[in-house]
Amino acid sequence: MNRRKEIVSRLIPHTTGAVLDSATAFAPVNIALAKYWGKRDIELHLPVTDSLSVALSVGTTTTLYQNTHQDVIELNGSPVAESSPFFQRLTQFLDLVRPSPSFRFRIVTHNDVPTAAGLASSASGFAALTLSLNRFFQWNLSAESLSCLARLGSGSACRSIFPGFVLWQKGDRDDGMDSHGIALPFSWPELKLGILMASSTEKPISSSLAMKRTVETSPLYSIWPSVLEKDLRELLETLETKDFSRFGSSLERNALTMHATMHTASPPICYWLEETVHYLHTVWHAREQGLQIFATMDAGPNVKILFLASDELHVRSLFPQMMEIPLRS
Ligand code: PMV
């Protein structure tokens, strides 16, 4: 038995094989404030460091059925080709949990993320699939086990099992059983998030490949764990104190440090486009003028900005094209 399958067999209880006719679940997109960047175990998606995210109100809803001869996947109302990487990735994940090798699924999945937001995320997708499998097979798994299972689909999916602010503790075990999300008891209703689109086309290099190349070749990667630790500590402190200026400085520095490690990889990885740089300069200039606004970016060119509700009109006048997405706390 391969390693991933052996771990899944420990996560999932022995069941009677009874399944429901169908099961549906929703999971949110999450945005990292302290980033997951680098794996200590590539096969199990175990991270080098902890990370912290906040959930959005948009995400993925997935319904599962049993099918007769083959797996069938529908995404946003259209069938997904068997040859596509998306189909392959999903069915490989399903191979880990099929009650028998011949068991086949029909999966109907819908992203309510506005396509133009460029947020179509594997994290909400694998989390919604995991939650719907839990219902379909009536496993009654704990949130921690669901989070570990979702991580095997995509690392950051382990955070999308929960609403609100989520800490993904890296864990120390080789089998990853202690590497899962934890819901944090913070709420911050005044906190707002907007998206500034630079491009909605597919990213040139996947986050997994970009992480691997960065870990292997960037001379800056060695400082990443200590930077992350400091930024994360400050973020957690400021979630308590609601010191927005410190909170924003930490999350922005964390994103910029992550991108600096990629820019210094060999060959270099740069997701930024002209528009990305323009948005960043506009954010920094507005801050010099006294506006409390901060930016974060993931493995892509789009910029996410964070600000407080009291500054929303000002931020909108600066970025009329901003797409505001409510947080899910
Ligand atoms: O879970 P993945 O393999 O898609 O990696 C996500 C990596 C970042 O989005 C860049 C950071 C993060 O913590 O979400």
Side-chain angles (χ1 to χ4, degrees):
M1 204 189 296
N2 76 30
R3 206 163 145 242
R4 284 158 63 85
K5 213 155 175 180
E6 189 273 319
I7 284 165
V8 169
S9 72
R10 282 192 274 139
L11 283 169
I12 295 174
H14 293 288
T15 50
T16 57
V19 299
L20 299 183
D21 289 340
S22 70
T24 300
F26 167 86
V29 167
N30 75 74
I31 302 292
L33 306 171
K35 310 290 183 185
Y36 150 51
W37 196 245
K39 299 180 200 198
R40 67 184 160 87
D41 184 319
I42 290 178
E43 199 184 3
L44 302 182
H45 302 162
L46 297 178
V48 171
T49 66
D50 295 344
S51 58
L52 172 74
S53 64
V54 63
L56 303 187
S57 60
V58 293
T60 305
T61 302
T62 295
T63 303
L64 287 181
Y65 308 86
Q66 184 170 2
N67 208 23
T68 37
H69 299 301
Q70 58 197 34
D71 291 324
V72 171
I73 304 176
E74 272 171 44
L75 172 64
N76 295 338
S78 305
V80 176
E82 269 184 47
S83 56
S84 69
F86 180 79
F87 190 98
Q88 300 295 325
R89 225 174 137 195
L90 242 65
T91 49
Q92 275 164 19
F93 180 72
L94 292 171
D95 288 345
L96 299 172
V97 301
R98 296 181 204 277
S100 69
S102 60
F103 194 101
R104 291 290 171 263
F105 294 92
R106 179 168 162 242
I107 302 172
V108 178
T109 188
H110 183 83
N111 286 327
D112 62 14
V113 182
T115 320
L119 278 177
S121 143
S122 59
S124 59
F126 277 106
L129 180 58
T130 302
L131 292 168
S132 57
L133 283 164
N134 185 47
R135 288 196 184 143
F136 189 66
F137 290 115
Q138 302 173 74
W139 292 327
N140 295 318
L141 295 188
S142 66
E144 288 76 21
S145 296
L146 289 167
S147 181
C148 285
L149 190 54
R151 170 174 46 73
L152 295 174
S154 161
S156 55
C158 76
R159 299 187 307 233
S160 277
I161 293 292
F162 308 92
F165 294 97
V166 180
L167 178 72
W168 173 8
Q169 58 171 30
K170 69 179 182 68
D172 297 314
R173 291 174 55 146
D174 288 345
D175 63 5
M177 292 298 190
D178 55 354
S179 183
H180 54 74
I182 298 171
L184 300 177
F186 299 113
S187 99
W188 200 340
E190 295 79 24
L191 188 63
K192 298 278 170 198
L193 181 138
I195 297 182
L196 302 170
M197 289 299 291
S199 164
S200 54
T201 55
E202 189 139 338
K203 46 189 168 198
I205 168 167
S206 73
S207 46
S208 279
L209 278 178
M211 270 185 218
K212 187 166 181 290
R213 190 190 296 167
T214 303
V215 172
E216 287 171 357
T217 66
S218 168
L220 295 190
Y221 190 75
S222 58
I223 62 162
W224 173 250
S226 58
V227 170
L228 185 288
E229 203 179 306
K230 177 171 180 287
D231 292 342
L232 178 60
R233 193 170 50 241
E234 281 187 19
L235 286 164
L236 292 172
E237 274 168 27
T238 52
L239 279 174
E240 290 277 358
T241 59
K242 305 286 186 282
D243 176 346
F244 181 64
S245 160
R246 228 177 128 222
F247 175 80
S249 306
S250 306
L251 71 88
E252 187 176 287
R253 182 181 54 234
N254 190 261
L256 291 173
T257 311
M258 176 182 79
H259 283 270
T261 67
M262 297 184 216
H263 295 170
T264 44
S266 179
I269 301 158
C270 183
Y271 289 106
W272 297 6
L273 300 174
E274 254 174 68
E275 294 82 347
T276 315
V277 177
H278 169 73
Y279 291 142
L280 287 174
H281 279 289
T282 311
V283 165
W284 295 333
H285 181 69
R287 211 154 68 219
E288 274 165 29
Q289 309 291 309
L291 181 65
Q292 291 297 301
I293 178 173
F294 298 90
T296 186
M297 292 140 295
D298 292 297
N302 304 324
V303 177
K304 291 119 195 172
I305 46 178
L306 287 109
F307 51 94
L308 292 176
S310 50
D311 286 324
E312 183 161 352
L313 283 180
H314 192 163
V315 173
R316 278 199 181 284
S317 68
L318 211 57
F319 297 112
Q321 73 280 47
M322 169 185 79
M323 199 177 306
E324 196 201 321
I325 313 261
L327 302 179
R328 184 180 173 90
S329 48

mmCIF file of all heavy atoms in Angstrom, residues 30-32 34-37 39 51-52 89 122-123 154-157 159 168 203 207-208 211 258 262 297-299, ligand 1:
data_model
loop_
_atom_site.group_PDB
_atom_site.id
_atom_site.type_symbol
_atom_site.label_atom_id
_atom_site.label_comp_id
_atom_site.label_asym_id
_atom_site.label_seq_id
_atom_site.Cartn_x
_atom_site.Cartn_y
_atom_site.Cartn_z
ATOM 1 N N ASN A 30 -9.761 30.512 1.074
ATOM 2 C CA ASN A 30 -9.048 31.192 2.162
ATOM 3 C C ASN A 30 -7.889 31.997 1.587
ATOM 4 O O ASN A 30 -7.291 31.625 0.581
ATOM 5 C CB ASN A 30 -8.584 30.193 3.233
ATOM 6 C CG ASN A 30 -7.388 29.354 2.821
ATOM 7 O OD1 ASN A 30 -6.262 29.838 2.783
ATOM 8 N ND2 ASN A 30 -7.636 28.083 2.489
ATOM 9 N N ILE A 31 -7.611 33.118 2.240
ATOM 10 C CA ILE A 31 -6.485 33.976 1.838
ATOM 11 C C ILE A 31 -5.453 33.931 2.956
ATOM 12 O O ILE A 31 -5.786 34.218 4.117
ATOM 13 C CB ILE A 31 -6.958 35.446 1.641
ATOM 14 C CG1 ILE A 31 -8.065 35.531 0.586
ATOM 15 C CG2 ILE A 31 -5.770 36.354 1.292
ATOM 16 C CD1 ILE A 31 -7.640 35.222 -0.824
ATOM 17 N N ALA A 32 -4.220 33.585 2.594
ATOM 18 C CA ALA A 32 -3.174 33.478 3.615
ATOM 19 C C ALA A 32 -2.678 34.859 4.019
ATOM 20 O O ALA A 32 -2.414 35.711 3.169
ATOM 21 C CB ALA A 32 -2.022 32.633 3.090
ATOM 22 N N ALA A 34 -0.248 34.876 6.736
ATOM 23 C CA ALA A 34 1.144 34.395 6.901
ATOM 24 C C ALA A 34 1.200 33.144 6.029
ATOM 25 O O ALA A 34 0.441 32.196 6.249
ATOM 26 C CB ALA A 34 1.439 34.064 8.355
ATOM 27 N N LYS A 35 2.071 33.154 5.039
ATOM 28 C CA LYS A 35 1.976 32.194 3.930
ATOM 29 C C LYS A 35 2.577 30.828 4.215
ATOM 30 O O LYS A 35 3.589 30.711 4.932
ATOM 31 C CB LYS A 35 2.682 32.748 2.689
ATOM 32 C CG LYS A 35 2.302 34.152 2.284
ATOM 33 C CD LYS A 35 0.909 34.248 1.730
ATOM 34 C CE LYS A 35 0.603 35.650 1.262
ATOM 35 N NZ LYS A 35 -0.786 35.790 0.819
ATOM 36 N N TYR A 36 1.986 29.839 3.576
ATOM 37 C CA TYR A 36 2.537 28.484 3.475
ATOM 38 C C TYR A 36 3.448 28.507 2.257
ATOM 39 O O TYR A 36 2.969 28.679 1.131
ATOM 40 C CB TYR A 36 1.355 27.525 3.320
ATOM 41 C CG TYR A 36 1.574 26.251 2.542
ATOM 42 C CD1 TYR A 36 2.638 25.391 2.823
ATOM 43 C CD2 TYR A 36 0.655 25.869 1.563
ATOM 44 C CE1 TYR A 36 2.789 24.206 2.114
ATOM 45 C CE2 TYR A 36 0.799 24.682 0.856
ATOM 46 C CZ TYR A 36 1.864 23.860 1.131
ATOM 47 O OH TYR A 36 2.006 22.694 0.433
ATOM 48 N N TRP A 37 4.741 28.394 2.465
ATOM 49 C CA TRP A 37 5.660 28.454 1.327
ATOM 50 C C TRP A 37 6.818 27.495 1.552
ATOM 51 O O TRP A 37 7.776 27.811 2.258
ATOM 52 C CB TRP A 37 6.135 29.908 1.097
ATOM 53 C CG TRP A 37 6.748 30.069 -0.255
ATOM 54 C CD1 TRP A 37 8.048 30.376 -0.537
ATOM 55 C CD2 TRP A 37 6.093 29.901 -1.511
ATOM 56 N NE1 TRP A 37 8.227 30.400 -1.896
ATOM 57 C CE2 TRP A 37 7.042 30.107 -2.522
ATOM 58 C CE3 TRP A 37 4.779 29.567 -1.895
ATOM 59 C CZ2 TRP A 37 6.736 30.010 -3.876
ATOM 60 C CZ3 TRP A 37 4.465 29.467 -3.234
ATOM 61 C CH2 TRP A 37 5.431 29.694 -4.208
ATOM 62 N N LYS A 39 7.624 22.887 1.344
ATOM 63 C CA LYS A 39 7.146 21.640 1.957
ATOM 64 C C LYS A 39 8.308 20.889 2.577
ATOM 65 O O LYS A 39 9.388 20.825 1.987
ATOM 66 C CB LYS A 39 6.520 20.751 0.883
ATOM 67 C CG LYS A 39 5.330 21.404 0.200
ATOM 68 C CD LYS A 39 4.713 20.507 -0.863
ATOM 69 C CE LYS A 39 3.895 21.388 -1.788
ATOM 70 N NZ LYS A 39 2.919 20.725 -2.599
ATOM 71 N N SER A 51 1.095 28.431 9.116
ATOM 72 C CA SER A 51 0.571 29.546 8.299
ATOM 73 C C SER A 51 -0.783 29.967 8.876
ATOM 74 O O SER A 51 -1.370 29.251 9.690
ATOM 75 C CB SER A 51 0.440 29.139 6.824
ATOM 76 O OG SER A 51 -0.408 28.029 6.666
ATOM 77 N N LEU A 52 -1.221 31.145 8.453
ATOM 78 C CA LEU A 52 -2.459 31.722 9.001
ATOM 79 C C LEU A 52 -3.296 32.275 7.852
ATOM 80 O O LEU A 52 -2.759 32.928 6.955
ATOM 81 C CB LEU A 52 -2.088 32.874 9.946
ATOM 82 C CG LEU A 52 -3.235 33.730 10.473
ATOM 83 C CD1 LEU A 52 -4.030 32.968 11.538
ATOM 84 C CD2 LEU A 52 -2.710 35.035 11.074
ATOM 85 N N ARG A 89 -6.260 15.136 -11.152
ATOM 86 C CA ARG A 89 -5.937 15.464 -9.754
ATOM 87 C C ARG A 89 -7.055 15.022 -8.814
ATOM 88 O O ARG A 89 -6.821 14.470 -7.740
ATOM 89 C CB ARG A 89 -5.757 16.977 -9.652
ATOM 90 C CG ARG A 89 -4.541 17.337 -8.855
ATOM 91 C CD ARG A 89 -4.268 18.778 -8.854
ATOM 92 N NE ARG A 89 -3.914 19.174 -7.493
ATOM 93 C CZ ARG A 89 -3.874 20.405 -7.063
ATOM 94 N NH1 ARG A 89 -4.175 21.385 -7.873
ATOM 95 N NH2 ARG A 89 -3.565 20.661 -5.809
ATOM 96 N N SER A 122 -7.946 25.658 -5.628
ATOM 97 C CA SER A 122 -7.947 24.229 -5.345
ATOM 98 C C SER A 122 -8.203 24.009 -3.854
ATOM 99 O O SER A 122 -8.657 22.949 -3.460
ATOM 100 C CB SER A 122 -6.628 23.600 -5.766
ATOM 101 O OG SER A 122 -5.563 24.199 -5.082
ATOM 102 N N ALA A 123 -7.946 25.027 -3.019
ATOM 103 C CA ALA A 123 -8.147 24.851 -1.579
ATOM 104 C C ALA A 123 -9.625 24.641 -1.253
ATOM 105 O O ALA A 123 -10.000 23.661 -0.600
ATOM 106 C CB ALA A 123 -7.613 26.067 -0.827
ATOM 107 N N SER A 154 -4.693 19.230 -1.544
ATOM 108 C CA SER A 154 -3.930 20.459 -1.778
ATOM 109 C C SER A 154 -3.584 21.003 -0.396
ATOM 110 O O SER A 154 -4.456 21.049 0.484
ATOM 111 C CB SER A 154 -4.824 21.437 -2.545
ATOM 112 O OG SER A 154 -4.348 22.750 -2.437
ATOM 113 N N GLY A 155 -2.343 21.405 -0.192
ATOM 114 C CA GLY A 155 -1.907 21.806 1.148
ATOM 115 C C GLY A 155 -2.856 22.787 1.807
ATOM 116 O O GLY A 155 -3.421 22.540 2.881
ATOM 117 N N SER A 156 -3.083 23.932 1.136
ATOM 118 C CA SER A 156 -3.861 24.994 1.768
ATOM 119 C C SER A 156 -5.341 24.624 1.942
ATOM 120 O O SER A 156 -6.079 25.341 2.621
ATOM 121 C CB SER A 156 -3.719 26.295 0.981
ATOM 122 O OG SER A 156 -4.073 26.084 -0.354
ATOM 123 N N ALA A 157 -5.791 23.492 1.347
ATOM 124 C CA ALA A 157 -7.180 23.049 1.536
ATOM 125 C C ALA A 157 -7.452 22.719 3.001
ATOM 126 O O ALA A 157 -8.600 22.784 3.457
ATOM 127 C CB ALA A 157 -7.467 21.834 0.664
ATOM 128 N N ARG A 159 -6.888 24.456 5.449
ATOM 129 C CA ARG A 159 -7.405 25.650 6.144
ATOM 130 C C ARG A 159 -8.845 25.937 5.733
ATOM 131 O O ARG A 159 -9.585 26.603 6.464
ATOM 132 C CB ARG A 159 -6.505 26.861 5.844
ATOM 133 C CG ARG A 159 -5.059 26.689 6.308
ATOM 134 C CD ARG A 159 -4.258 27.983 6.140
ATOM 135 N NE ARG A 159 -4.348 28.487 4.794
ATOM 136 C CZ ARG A 159 -3.324 28.809 3.996
ATOM 137 N NH1 ARG A 159 -2.078 28.694 4.437
ATOM 138 N NH2 ARG A 159 -3.513 29.258 2.781
ATOM 139 N N TRP A 168 -2.803 26.966 10.421
ATOM 140 C CA TRP A 168 -2.385 25.607 10.017
ATOM 141 C C TRP A 168 -1.096 25.329 10.758
ATOM 142 O O TRP A 168 -0.064 25.922 10.458
ATOM 143 C CB TRP A 168 -2.196 25.547 8.512
ATOM 144 C CG TRP A 168 -1.602 24.260 7.962
ATOM 145 C CD1 TRP A 168 -1.351 23.092 8.623
ATOM 146 C CD2 TRP A 168 -1.190 24.034 6.605
ATOM 147 N NE1 TRP A 168 -0.815 22.154 7.767
ATOM 148 C CE2 TRP A 168 -0.709 22.706 6.530
ATOM 149 C CE3 TRP A 168 -1.187 24.825 5.454
ATOM 150 C CZ2 TRP A 168 -0.226 22.161 5.331
ATOM 151 C CZ3 TRP A 168 -0.701 24.277 4.270
ATOM 152 C CH2 TRP A 168 -0.233 22.965 4.215
ATOM 153 N N LYS A 203 -1.933 30.675 -14.189
ATOM 154 C CA LYS A 203 -0.571 31.059 -13.785
ATOM 155 C C LYS A 203 0.462 30.244 -14.564
ATOM 156 O O LYS A 203 0.241 29.072 -14.875
ATOM 157 C CB LYS A 203 -0.383 30.935 -12.286
ATOM 158 C CG LYS A 203 -0.893 29.692 -11.634
ATOM 159 C CD LYS A 203 -0.825 29.828 -10.112
ATOM 160 C CE LYS A 203 -1.597 28.728 -9.428
ATOM 161 N NZ LYS A 203 -1.920 29.006 -8.060
ATOM 162 N N SER A 207 1.864 26.543 -7.921
ATOM 163 C CA SER A 207 2.469 26.903 -6.633
ATOM 164 C C SER A 207 3.375 25.770 -6.126
ATOM 165 O O SER A 207 4.414 26.031 -5.531
ATOM 166 C CB SER A 207 1.407 27.279 -5.601
ATOM 167 O OG SER A 207 0.377 26.355 -5.600
ATOM 168 N N SER A 208 3.003 24.520 -6.410
ATOM 169 C CA SER A 208 3.831 23.390 -5.944
ATOM 170 C C SER A 208 5.220 23.426 -6.574
ATOM 171 O O SER A 208 6.231 23.274 -5.880
ATOM 172 C CB SER A 208 3.184 22.062 -6.324
ATOM 173 O OG SER A 208 2.195 21.751 -5.416
ATOM 174 N N MET A 211 7.198 26.440 -5.258
ATOM 175 C CA MET A 211 7.720 26.190 -3.905
ATOM 176 C C MET A 211 8.965 25.329 -3.974
ATOM 177 O O MET A 211 9.966 25.617 -3.323
ATOM 178 C CB MET A 211 6.683 25.385 -3.095
ATOM 179 C CG MET A 211 5.709 26.199 -2.343
ATOM 180 S SD MET A 211 4.682 25.093 -1.342
ATOM 181 C CE MET A 211 3.119 25.918 -1.527
ATOM 182 N N MET A 258 7.870 36.403 0.828
ATOM 183 C CA MET A 258 7.629 35.176 0.054
ATOM 184 C C MET A 258 7.988 35.412 -1.415
ATOM 185 O O MET A 258 8.686 34.598 -2.036
ATOM 186 C CB MET A 258 6.171 34.740 0.180
ATOM 187 C CG MET A 258 5.848 33.529 -0.673
ATOM 188 S SD MET A 258 4.115 33.014 -0.596
ATOM 189 C CE MET A 258 3.330 34.187 -1.673
ATOM 190 N N MET A 262 10.995 33.876 -4.198
ATOM 191 C CA MET A 262 10.774 33.348 -5.565
ATOM 192 C C MET A 262 11.610 34.102 -6.582
ATOM 193 O O MET A 262 12.139 33.525 -7.523
ATOM 194 C CB MET A 262 9.324 33.561 -5.994
ATOM 195 C CG MET A 262 8.311 32.872 -5.189
ATOM 196 S SD MET A 262 6.715 33.207 -5.980
ATOM 197 C CE MET A 262 5.710 33.330 -4.547
ATOM 198 N N MET A 297 -0.278 39.102 -1.767
ATOM 199 C CA MET A 297 -0.381 38.401 -3.048
ATOM 200 C C MET A 297 -0.015 36.949 -2.843
ATOM 201 O O MET A 297 0.830 36.643 -1.998
ATOM 202 C CB MET A 297 0.605 38.976 -4.069
ATOM 203 C CG MET A 297 0.305 40.360 -4.530
ATOM 204 S SD MET A 297 1.858 41.242 -4.652
ATOM 205 C CE MET A 297 2.375 41.293 -2.972
ATOM 206 N N ASP A 298 -0.615 36.073 -3.653
ATOM 207 C CA ASP A 298 -0.256 34.657 -3.575
ATOM 208 C C ASP A 298 0.514 34.264 -4.828
ATOM 209 O O ASP A 298 1.160 35.110 -5.416
ATOM 210 C CB ASP A 298 -1.529 33.843 -3.307
ATOM 211 C CG ASP A 298 -2.030 34.172 -1.908
ATOM 212 O OD1 ASP A 298 -1.297 33.890 -0.960
ATOM 213 O OD2 ASP A 298 -3.109 34.781 -1.775
ATOM 214 N N ALA A 299 0.397 32.993 -5.232
ATOM 215 C CA ALA A 299 1.161 32.564 -6.401
ATOM 216 C C ALA A 299 0.414 33.000 -7.661
ATOM 217 O O ALA A 299 -0.133 32.185 -8.398
ATOM 218 C CB ALA A 299 1.361 31.056 -6.353
HETATM 219 O O1 PMV B 1 -2.007 24.786 -1.394
HETATM 220 P P1 PMV B 1 -1.230 25.232 -2.557
HETATM 221 O O2 PMV B 1 -0.307 24.160 -3.055
HETATM 222 O O3 PMV B 1 -2.079 25.788 -3.670
HETATM 223 O O4 PMV B 1 -0.233 26.435 -2.106
HETATM 224 C C1 PMV B 1 -0.694 27.697 -1.714
HETATM 225 C C2 PMV B 1 0.435 28.646 -1.621
HETATM 226 C C3 PMV B 1 0.084 30.115 -1.395
HETATM 227 O O5 PMV B 1 -1.214 30.414 -1.843
HETATM 228 C C4 PMV B 1 1.070 30.962 -2.195
HETATM 229 C C5 PMV B 1 0.244 30.520 0.076
HETATM 230 C C6 PMV B 1 -0.841 30.057 1.014
HETATM 231 O O6 PMV B 1 -0.540 29.934 2.209
HETATM 232 O O7 PMV B 1 -2.007 29.885 0.593
#
